[in-house]
Amino acid sequence: MSRYILRRLLMALPVVVGILLLTFLIQAVIPTDAVSAMYEGQVTEDEAAEAIAAMRERYGLDQPWYVQFVRYGANVLQGDFGESIRLRRPVSEEIGYRFVNTLTLTGVALLIGIGIGVPMGIISAAKKDTWLDVGAMTVGLLGISMPAFFFGLLLILVFAVWLMWIPVVPRGGAALLLPALTLGLIEAAPLSRIARSAMIEILRRDHIRAARSRGMGEFSVIMRHALPGTLLAVMTVIGLQFGNLLGGAFIIEVIFGWRGIGELGVKAIQWRDFALTQAIILISAGAHISANLLVDILYAWIDPRVDYDQ
Amino acid sequence: MLEVRGLRTQFGTGAGAVRAVNGVDLAINPGEVLGIVGESGCGKTVLALSILRLIDAPGRIVAGQVLFEGTDVLAMRPRALTALRGRDIAMIFQQPKASLDPLMRIGSQIAEPLRLRGGRSRAEAWREAVELLGAVGIPNPEEKARAYPHEISGGQAQRVMIAIALALRPRLLIADEPTTALDVTVQAQILELLRERCRVLGTALVLVTHDIGVVAQMADRVAVMYAGRVVENGKVADILGQPAHPYTRGLLRSAPVMGAVQARLREIPGGIPDLTRPLSGCAFAPRCEARQQAGAARCDSQAPPSFLPRAGWQARCWLQAGAPQAQPAPEAWA
Amino acid sequence: MSLAQSVAAPAEAAPQPRRGGWRWAMARLLRNPSARIGGSVLLLILFCAAFAPWVAPHDPLHVNTLGRLLPPSATNWLGTDEVGRDIASRLIFGTRYFLLICLIASTISGGFGILLGLVAGGGSALADTLIMRCTDMLLAFPYILLVLAIVAILGPSLWTAMAAVGIAGIPGYARLIRSVALTVKREEYVEAARALGASEAQIILSTVLPNTISPLIVYLSYATPIAALSAAALSFLGLGAQAPAPEWGAMLVNSRSFLFTAWWAVAAPGLAIFVAIFSMNLLGNGLRDVLDPRDV
């Protein structure tokens, strides 16, 4: 098992280098803009040129790109993400608690998505081609067509303004409720489709017919022989879905003012604050890869068919 | 014990429907071994699945009765049907490995019917599962019970399937091509095991196979199927010794059978007819040598009824027209 | 299917177009209810975009500070926004942005994706490895994140938003086309063409390319709504279309602060995006039913 994990880690290595390269590109293009954005209208052109020169030297932009890249990579690996131009303090200080907030939001949203989407897909598959299935699939299609930012505002309008179940500016746990619900309900749509098609595929297999031939009721057949395989199939995509949730968090956090990395990331792009932008994109991509790695390892551990000693 | 009357199963509807089983009458007596034999595509697997109502959409049983101890299986409510399956009639399949749940330990799969339907406790069921594994000839049953299906061979998987099917001591076991997917060397062992287990438990066996040699070796009686119908049906000794139907003769000539008198091996020319079209005469007529020699016009225009060359022996062939005619079941001819 | 059947089939079904042909697919598509609904709405959007100045009752950019945030009425069907512009007219002109985004993003994704996919699937092993490693790298990002990263590199604007959404879609198309190319290249008739002296490039253009059309249409129907949604999200985040432009995402974000007082100003553009994306997905569902036999 440990050898399998090691091998998976090694396989992820080129991807990590690739992500570093792409985020590095942000730095290579931005500084001039960043400085002008910072001092816009405040300084003369000469002073700006001077500031830019100072900046270039400070961030090592006078070096060849590969030297810069290695330096960048080394810094990142040491947990040094540089200093935010806008916030004027180390990026790592700002990002830590925000990352935890984002993980909380996406984690709860994932649970909501699984809790609603997977049963929906399973019922759809078990009742394939009935009105229940058609209804659930239509809801699913509506879900994948729904823009997250509009859905979030809609929920605020309905629950906070019209029904007044939740305060408009909630505190504590209530603050998590609507953003997590928005993200989770939207996530339920693709999960229900995945669960449905996985289950339909499994229900066609020989061993299901064999179980029926032994006098297992339809309910037991589904719960005992179709569900485990369906859950396993859903599990393989949970890593990918977690990445989507992270992406969605950028939008949801802005709507609900949730202080996560997404909300900060959007600001950072608007500010052209390259160190901050880099760090946030890097961390999100890193979280996405780690989640996928974790899911792969978990899958290998759970599914008896995977021979991880090979 | 089990009687099939006028069974028809088709796939799809309307003009394009494939009439896979097209009016079959059969009977199985307690404790006997009935072989159902025919080329692939003759409807024998669909017939086997229809008996337990295991046909999936777009397939559909459209007519007939399956009487088990006088009760029509086809008219049963879902609860009665699940009570019948596994306890009265069990089944094993062509692809033993695919027929086992890949995510469940073998022991648990054998224990499952014992626990859910036989009322055993978890520990009892497991102990009994291990015993059953031993009884079907799996070495180290305690250890193998913990294995997953992908860890065992096809032959062992079929042994496991037999153990599961016979766990509740059913009265009848339907085996659909149980050895087709297995190595030749293993085939004989599995057949021997089936015969032995069924004899010990007093279980009747329906053995569906394309191999008439297997029938000769295993069965008491045989039903020969062609194009969704039983064309000949009787004691193995009678039929293999002196087949009444030209199709049976063709089958016998095309395969080596132990104990049967054979000349050279020869294949039957032509292929099975298009099952989407209604048949006007005998389904086998286009391929039938005897018809060509005899030049019987009836073969093409009129479906032959069952004739009785001898007691307990039926053949649907106009060439037997001299023999007395069997009373057809009313549903059998539409 | 036996030879006899394949020869016999067209004769039987003479009045209908050949099964599997394009006319046959079109006929089936027109009978598919979900494709009909989705297609009709998209045609309506197309009509609005083409004839916006004639369809729209007002100037979408005309500011009227006296008539701000008016509720829907006979003159302003969907009310007015925070500076008194007619929302209905802005929605109608917004169809142009919507279609432009779909067109440009899909052209970038599809154009580069097809090119790279063909080179990877039909060219040398080195090119294949190189291209596939690059797509692996890009696909390691969640889609929205990749879009944001590209916007971060290019700087925020409507054009970069469209480019970013387009670029982020390239790896998906490249992989699809590559897999089709690899499958087709193994077909016997391609082997035969090669044996007869056709060059690799000829083979790709004459056999691979035509075979990509049907999977390409199916993939397009998946990818375009996602691209359009992402572009709208970018505008919403202030990283795409900017203030006065009647782009739906931008309209939504500008009216956002008036959610409690003038919800229609938020709901109208939101619903417009939703309906447009939903009809694309409906049409896509229909296309998949017709073109993708695995999904039936």
Side-chain angles (χ1 to χ4, degrees):
Chain A
M1 189 75 199
S2 55
R3 274 187 57 197
Y4 175 79
I5 294 173
L6 194 71
R7 209 178 67 227
R8 290 311 317 253
L9 282 173
L10 284 175
M11 274 164 68
L13 213 59
V15 175
V16 172
V17 173
I19 289 171
L20 277 174
L21 254 171
L22 198 78
T23 48
F24 173 70
L25 270 180
I26 297 172
Q27 161 177 335
V29 187
I30 280 178
T32 343
D33 292 355
V35 173
S36 38
M38 243 168 93
Y39 297 111
E40 202 172 78
Q42 297 172 20
V43 294
T44 64
E45 262 181 42
D46 285 349
E47 280 172 308
E50 213 171 280
I52 289 169
M55 200 94 139
R56 288 181 71 84
E57 207 187 314
R58 185 159 150 219
Y59 291 105
L61 297 181
D62 41 359
Q63 311 269 334
W65 71 271
Y66 47 87
V67 176
Q68 290 181 46
F69 179 60
V70 170
R71 202 158 79 168
Y72 169 66
N75 284 343
V76 165
L77 288 181
Q78 288 162 22
D80 175 10
F81 295 102
E83 193 177 309
S84 160
I85 298 174
R86 178 72 174 239
L87 303 171
R88 298 183 190 253
R89 56 198 180 103
V91 167
S92 47
E93 273 179 27
E94 181 67 20
I95 277 188
Y97 79 94
R98 281 181 175 267
F99 186 52
V100 174
N101 280 350
T102 297
L103 283 186
T104 313
L105 173 63
T106 46
V108 174
L110 188 62
L111 290 182
I112 294 174
I114 294 172
I116 293 171
V118 173
M120 210 164 103
I122 286 167
I123 292 168
S124 268
K127 304 276 171 196
K128 188 168 175 278
D129 296 331
T130 63
W131 63 268
L132 204 66
D133 178 32
V134 174
M137 283 305 99
T138 309
V139 170
L141 200 67
L142 290 172
I144 63 164
S145 309
M146 179 60 88
F149 48 91
F150 177 52
F151 191 53
L153 293 174
L154 214 59
L155 289 188
I156 293 179
L157 192 65
V158 172
F159 289 109
V161 182
W162 290 347
L163 296 174
M164 292 199 279
W165 288 358
I166 296 164
V168 174
V169 185
R171 284 168 206 289
L176 181 60
L177 195 66
L178 275 190
L181 205 60
T182 310
L183 208 51
L185 285 178
I186 284 186
E187 182 56 30
L191 280 176
S192 76
R193 298 183 132 212
I194 292 159
R196 176 178 181 267
S197 60
M199 180 100 152
I200 287 174
E201 196 265 316
I202 289 174
L203 284 176
R204 281 190 196 129
R205 289 191 192 160
D206 286 357
H207 72 86
I208 296 293
R209 175 179 275 174
R212 288 194 182 123
S213 82
R214 283 170 216 146
M216 305 261 305
E218 203 53 22
F219 184 74
S220 322
V221 167
I222 285 171
M223 295 307 282
R224 299 180 60 91
H225 294 294
L227 190 61
T230 306
L231 292 181
L232 216 52
V234 169
M235 202 184 124
T236 58
V237 298
I238 288 289
L240 292 174
Q241 297 302 320
F242 178 73
N244 283 347
L245 285 173
L246 273 177
F250 277 72
I251 294 154
I252 298 298
E253 288 180 0
V254 169
I255 297 172
F256 292 93
W258 183 258
R259 293 173 63 79
I261 53 169
E263 190 240 7
L264 186 64
V266 172
K267 281 187 198 154
I269 295 172
Q270 285 164 344
W271 294 336
R272 316 230 70 194
D273 186 335
F274 72 89
L276 202 54
T277 310
Q278 269 178 331
I280 287 169
I281 288 177
L282 200 61
I283 281 190
S284 307
H288 174 59
I289 292 181
S290 313
N292 277 299
L293 210 62
L294 202 70
V295 164
D296 275 2
I297 291 167
L298 213 59
Y299 181 88
W301 185 57
I302 292 176
D303 190 334
R305 286 165 297 187
V306 177
D307 184 6
Y308 40 74
D309 291 326
Q310 233 179 19
Chain B
M1 180 177 60
L2 184 88
E3 213 184 326
V4 176
R5 284 192 196 159
L7 188 70
R8 290 167 181 273
T9 303
Q10 64 181 41
F11 288 81
T13 48
V18 175
R19 295 169 182 82
V21 173
N22 200 3
V24 163
D25 302 297
L26 274 180
I28 298 134
N29 304 313
E32 80 170 346
V33 179
L34 171 71
I36 297 181
V37 67
E39 289 167 287
S40 45
C42 73
K44 54 196 193 300
T45 293
V46 176
L47 169 63
L49 292 171
S50 299
I51 292 174
L52 272 177
R53 283 170 63 185
L54 290 169
I55 298 289
D56 291 327
R60 203 156 55 91
I61 300 171
V62 288
Q65 287 178 309
V66 175
L67 299 170
F68 183 79
E69 322 251 81
T71 323
D72 187 2
V73 176
L74 302 185
M76 276 183 180
R77 292 171 167 279
R79 284 192 90 131
L81 181 65
T82 52
L84 170 101
R85 288 173 176 172
R87 180 162 303 181
D88 295 320
I89 306 176
M91 187 159 180
I92 63 174
F93 301 86
Q94 199 173 131
Q95 300 290 340
K97 288 192 82 162
S99 299
L100 289 167
D101 187 333
L103 299 177
M104 205 187 247
R105 291 181 200 277
I106 288 161
S108 308
Q109 300 197 45
I110 305 174
E112 190 173 57
L114 293 168
R115 213 152 65 74
L116 296 183
R117 314 204 40 223
R120 318 295 205 276
S121 73
R122 188 177 286 265
E124 275 174 348
W126 183 268
R127 191 155 13 90
E128 215 167 308
V130 172
E131 272 169 33
L132 284 166
L133 266 183
V136 294
I138 301 265
N140 304 326
E142 284 95 359
E143 194 189 312
K144 270 282 157 30
R146 315 200 70 81
Y148 285 97
H150 72 276
E151 293 166 334
I152 61 175
S153 69
Q156 285 182 324
Q158 197 58 290
R159 287 174 190 269
V160 172
M161 287 299 292
I162 293 170
I164 300 174
L166 297 179
L168 295 173
R169 299 170 175 257
R171 307 273 315 276
L172 172 67
L173 175 66
I174 301 169
D176 178 20
E177 302 258 10
T179 58
T180 307
L182 304 178
D183 283 351
V184 182
T185 48
V186 184
Q187 289 183 358
Q189 296 171 15
I190 294 292
L191 289 173
E192 188 46 47
L193 174 72
L194 264 178
R195 176 158 45 192
E196 188 251 342
R197 292 309 299 165
C198 286
R199 203 182 52 226
V200 169
L201 300 171
T203 303
L205 176 65
V206 172
L207 185 63
V208 176
T209 176
H210 63 276
D211 186 347
I212 204 161
V214 168
V215 170
Q217 192 189 330
M218 297 275 296
D220 305 316
R221 289 195 303 123
V222 59
V224 180
M225 278 188 79
Y226 186 76
R229 285 178 186 167
V230 173
V231 293
E232 185 165 12
N233 157 13
K235 291 200 185 92
V236 167
D238 287 341
I239 289 180
L240 298 197
Q242 200 183 14
H245 199 284
Y247 177 65
T248 316
R249 281 205 291 277
L251 267 187
L252 272 168
R253 268 203 307 261
S254 67
V257 178
M258 259 185 289
V261 187
Q262 286 176 300
R264 272 184 310 147
L265 291 182
R266 253 192 300 166
E267 64 177 31
I268 308 172
I272 54 165
D274 182 356
L275 295 178
T276 58
R277 292 165 197 229
L279 296 165
S280 52
C282 170
F284 187 60
R287 295 169 76 186
C288 184
E289 277 184 352
R291 182 197 65 108
Q292 284 154 15
Q293 285 158 12
R298 274 193 298 196
C299 292
D300 295 323
S301 57
Q302 238 179 312
S306 282
F307 295 101
L308 302 170
R310 203 177 293 170
W313 181 356
Q314 309 187 355
R316 280 188 173 178
C317 177
W318 285 119
L319 302 177
Q320 295 294 321
Q325 212 171 310
Q327 276 313 32
E331 295 87 350
W333 301 97
Chain C
M1 198 196 265
S2 76
L3 187 66
Q5 272 173 302
S6 61
V7 171
E12 278 171 3
Q16 280 183 327
R18 187 173 54 84
R19 190 185 152 80
W22 288 110
R23 282 181 49 203
W24 174 81
M26 201 61 208
R28 277 192 62 187
L29 194 64
L30 288 176
R31 275 196 311 258
N32 185 303
S34 102
R36 272 159 88 161
I37 299 172
S40 313
V41 177
L42 289 178
L43 279 179
L44 185 71
I45 290 176
L46 207 64
F47 176 82
C48 286
F51 302 104
W54 295 277
V55 177
H58 300 278
D59 179 351
L61 296 176
H62 179 72
V63 174
N64 174 14
T65 41
L66 294 175
R68 291 165 52 198
L69 297 172
L70 293 176
S73 67
T75 38
N76 301 106
W77 304 336
L78 296 172
T80 60
D81 69 2
E82 67 281 357
V83 289
R85 293 174 295 215
D86 179 51
I87 293 176
S89 306
R90 287 174 68 72
L91 284 190
I92 289 168
F93 274 88
T95 55
R96 293 183 164 186
Y97 282 91
F98 181 79
L99 292 177
L100 184 73
I101 288 165
C102 290
L103 189 73
I104 292 195
S106 302
T107 309
I108 294 175
S109 307
F112 286 97
I114 291 169
L115 196 70
L116 289 173
L118 287 179
V119 171
S124 69
L126 179 72
D128 187 24
T129 314
L130 214 64
I131 292 170
M132 281 305 109
R133 284 301 140 262
C134 286
T135 61
D136 278 351
M137 192 187 89
L138 291 178
L139 290 173
F141 285 87
Y143 183 76
I144 296 263
L145 208 63
L146 183 56
V147 170
L148 285 170
I150 296 168
V151 170
I153 295 170
L154 300 177
S157 79
L158 174 62
W159 294 102
T160 51
M162 290 193 278
V165 169
I167 294 168
I170 293 174
Y173 281 90
R175 292 203 147 193
L176 172 81
I177 299 298
R178 173 181 177 265
S179 76
V180 175
L182 289 182
T183 320
V184 174
K185 270 173 72 180
R186 272 187 234 112
E187 299 275 344
E188 271 176 41
Y189 67 93
V190 176
E191 297 288 351
R194 194 173 289 130
L196 291 172
S199 74
E200 266 326 282
Q202 272 173 331
I203 286 172
I204 284 171
L205 291 180
S206 64
T207 65
V208 176
L209 214 50
N211 275 296
T212 59
I213 291 174
S214 156
L216 202 61
I217 290 175
V218 170
Y219 190 78
L220 204 71
S221 76
Y222 277 109
T224 312
I226 296 175
L229 259 185
S230 307
L234 282 179
S235 299
F236 176 82
L237 294 175
L239 303 173
Q242 301 294 330
E247 197 275 336
W248 295 338
M251 285 172 69
L252 192 66
V253 71
N254 291 326
S255 309
R256 209 188 118 198
S257 6
F258 307 100
L259 179 65
F260 306 136
T261 49
W263 57 267
W264 55 87
V266 178
L271 277 177
I273 300 173
F274 174 58
V275 168
I277 301 285
F278 185 59
S279 18
M280 284 174 105
N281 280 324
L282 276 180
L283 180 63
N285 256 11
L287 280 169
R288 251 159 276 158
D289 285 351
V290 172
L291 295 176
D292 194 351
R294 286 167 305 167
D295 225 35
V296 176

